[in-house]
Amino acid sequence: MKSFKLKSILTISIILSQSFPIMGHGNKWEANRPDAHAPISVMQDHTHNQQEWMLSYRLMNMDMRGMRQGSHKLSNADVFAKGFMVSPVEMSMNMHMFGFMYAPNNQFTLMAMGHYTEIEMELSAMPGSMAQMNNGSYFKRESKGWGDTTLAALINLGEFANHKIHANAGISLPTGSIDKTDNGHLPYPMQTGSGSYELKPGLTYSGQASKISWGAQIMTKFAIDKNDAAYSKGNSTEGKIWGAFKLSNWISLSSQISYLNQSSMDGNDVRIQSKMSPTMDPANSGGQTYFWSLGANFLIFKGPLEGHRFAIDYSAPLDQDLNGIQMQTADTVTIGWQKSF
Ligand SMILES: [Cu+2]
């Protein structure tokens, strides 16, 4: 009886897998195709085979423009009317991310990622205020330096034909600064680090068929201590789903939807006492954001760059519901290079 059931299940699965070639042919996972990697804005998306290692570089440029309270846009005048002397106008952030991956065996892939950040913020001062007398109507603040460093183990939980799933066990080390100054101590969004140790557990699934591929990832982050200035960044949960279409052996196009839920900061830095600008109040942090993105992955097949991967991803918000009064995200562009050895 048991073996009859088993045979029936086997027969049905074989018939199903042959009738729906889009679900795969029961093939093994194929790593040597452009969409074997997720859109470049997704981190820790893939694992490596035993003894393989990989270097990567990503440049992420995020532009923030305008202010928002909850899900309503605010003008600078609105911000001044709420008692602030200064309102951010625009912020541009460049993150240079350097990644290293190594798989000691097929079960585990180890990953390290550090980044260098450059932040520039343009602010406007309330007409007639002290801030305007000291800085002019519009002024800039800059900050740059190394950010926090993530170490992670990606643990293969299973590979069934063209489906893969792995756990992400990461920790973020406080290598970034919380002491950045530019005409005084800079507000929270312009510090390059969190100052805390943060755990980053997550789960990643990916699937592949002959012309298409898809995936999903959930990543969480929570601080396990407060930093030297007695605060920690809010906990966050981020969910992403994506699909990709393999145009040819060397190019794939992708689309992604993501959701980020982050709670407000816990505690505050006594060096940021003034509430001149909304960015100086820890209550104005965190929120819920939805993004969509479009991307392309390239895998070079011949010539001197054989085996090199290049990718680009453009992302913009669908909806932002922010805690308190904050700058809103305009868009993010990520470009990247990856090479396995
Ligand atoms: Cu890799």
Side-chain angles (χ1 to χ4, degrees), residues 37 46-48 53-54 101 109 338 340:
H37 286 194
H46 64 271
T47 56
H48 285 274
W53 53 289
M54 188 188 89
M101 293 174 93
T109 296
Q338 296 167 320
S340 301

Short mmCIF file of all heavy atoms in Angstrom, two decimals, residues 37 46-48 53-54 101 109 338 340, ligand 1:
data_model
loop_
_atom_site.label_atom_id
_atom_site.label_comp_id
_atom_site.label_asym_id
_atom_site.label_seq_id
_atom_site.Cartn_x
_atom_site.Cartn_y
_atom_site.Cartn_z
N HIS A 37 21.69 35.45 -9.45
CA HIS A 37 21.79 36.39 -8.35
C HIS A 37 20.53 37.26 -8.36
O HIS A 37 20.01 37.60 -9.41
CB HIS A 37 23.02 37.29 -8.48
CG HIS A 37 24.31 36.57 -8.18
ND1 HIS A 37 25.48 37.23 -7.97
CD2 HIS A 37 24.58 35.25 -8.04
CE1 HIS A 37 26.45 36.35 -7.72
NE2 HIS A 37 25.92 35.13 -7.76
N HIS A 46 22.42 34.88 -2.20
CA HIS A 46 22.84 33.59 -2.76
C HIS A 46 23.95 32.97 -1.91
O HIS A 46 24.62 33.67 -1.14
CB HIS A 46 23.35 33.78 -4.19
CG HIS A 46 24.58 34.64 -4.25
ND1 HIS A 46 24.54 36.00 -4.37
CD2 HIS A 46 25.89 34.33 -4.14
CE1 HIS A 46 25.76 36.49 -4.36
NE2 HIS A 46 26.61 35.50 -4.22
N THR A 47 24.13 31.67 -2.08
CA THR A 47 25.22 30.98 -1.39
C THR A 47 26.23 30.50 -2.43
O THR A 47 25.99 30.61 -3.62
CB THR A 47 24.68 29.76 -0.60
OG1 THR A 47 23.97 28.92 -1.52
CG2 THR A 47 23.73 30.21 0.49
N HIS A 48 27.34 29.99 -1.97
CA HIS A 48 28.38 29.50 -2.88
C HIS A 48 28.67 28.03 -2.64
O HIS A 48 28.36 27.49 -1.58
CB HIS A 48 29.66 30.32 -2.71
CG HIS A 48 29.57 31.68 -3.32
ND1 HIS A 48 29.85 31.91 -4.64
CD2 HIS A 48 29.19 32.87 -2.82
CE1 HIS A 48 29.66 33.20 -4.92
NE2 HIS A 48 29.25 33.80 -3.82
N TRP A 53 34.97 31.55 -3.55
CA TRP A 53 34.87 32.84 -2.89
C TRP A 53 34.49 33.92 -3.87
O TRP A 53 34.52 33.70 -5.08
CB TRP A 53 36.12 33.16 -2.08
CG TRP A 53 37.44 33.09 -2.79
CD1 TRP A 53 38.08 31.97 -3.21
CD2 TRP A 53 38.27 34.19 -3.14
NE1 TRP A 53 39.27 32.30 -3.80
CE2 TRP A 53 39.42 33.65 -3.76
CE3 TRP A 53 38.18 35.58 -2.97
CZ2 TRP A 53 40.44 34.46 -4.24
CZ3 TRP A 53 39.21 36.39 -3.44
CH2 TRP A 53 40.33 35.82 -4.07
N MET A 54 34.05 35.06 -3.37
CA MET A 54 33.54 36.11 -4.25
C MET A 54 33.89 37.47 -3.69
O MET A 54 33.84 37.69 -2.48
CB MET A 54 32.02 35.99 -4.38
CG MET A 54 31.42 36.92 -5.42
SD MET A 54 29.60 36.93 -5.41
CE MET A 54 29.30 38.23 -4.22
N MET A 101 32.77 37.01 0.12
CA MET A 101 32.06 35.79 0.47
C MET A 101 33.00 34.61 0.31
O MET A 101 33.86 34.60 -0.57
CB MET A 101 30.84 35.58 -0.45
CG MET A 101 29.76 36.62 -0.28
SD MET A 101 28.43 36.43 -1.50
CE MET A 101 27.29 35.40 -0.58
N THR A 109 28.02 29.48 3.79
CA THR A 109 28.74 30.53 3.08
C THR A 109 28.94 31.66 4.07
O THR A 109 27.99 32.09 4.73
CB THR A 109 27.94 31.02 1.86
OG1 THR A 109 27.80 29.95 0.92
CG2 THR A 109 28.65 32.18 1.17
N GLN A 338 30.45 41.98 -9.29
CA GLN A 338 30.70 40.78 -8.51
C GLN A 338 31.57 39.82 -9.33
O GLN A 338 31.41 39.71 -10.54
CB GLN A 338 29.39 40.05 -8.17
CG GLN A 338 28.45 40.86 -7.29
CD GLN A 338 27.06 40.27 -7.23
OE1 GLN A 338 26.53 39.81 -8.24
NE2 GLN A 338 26.46 40.28 -6.06
N SER A 340 33.26 35.79 -8.83
CA SER A 340 33.55 34.57 -8.04
C SER A 340 34.85 33.95 -8.53
O SER A 340 35.19 34.05 -9.70
CB SER A 340 32.43 33.55 -8.23
OG SER A 340 31.21 34.10 -7.83
CU CU B 1 28.53 35.69 -3.61
#
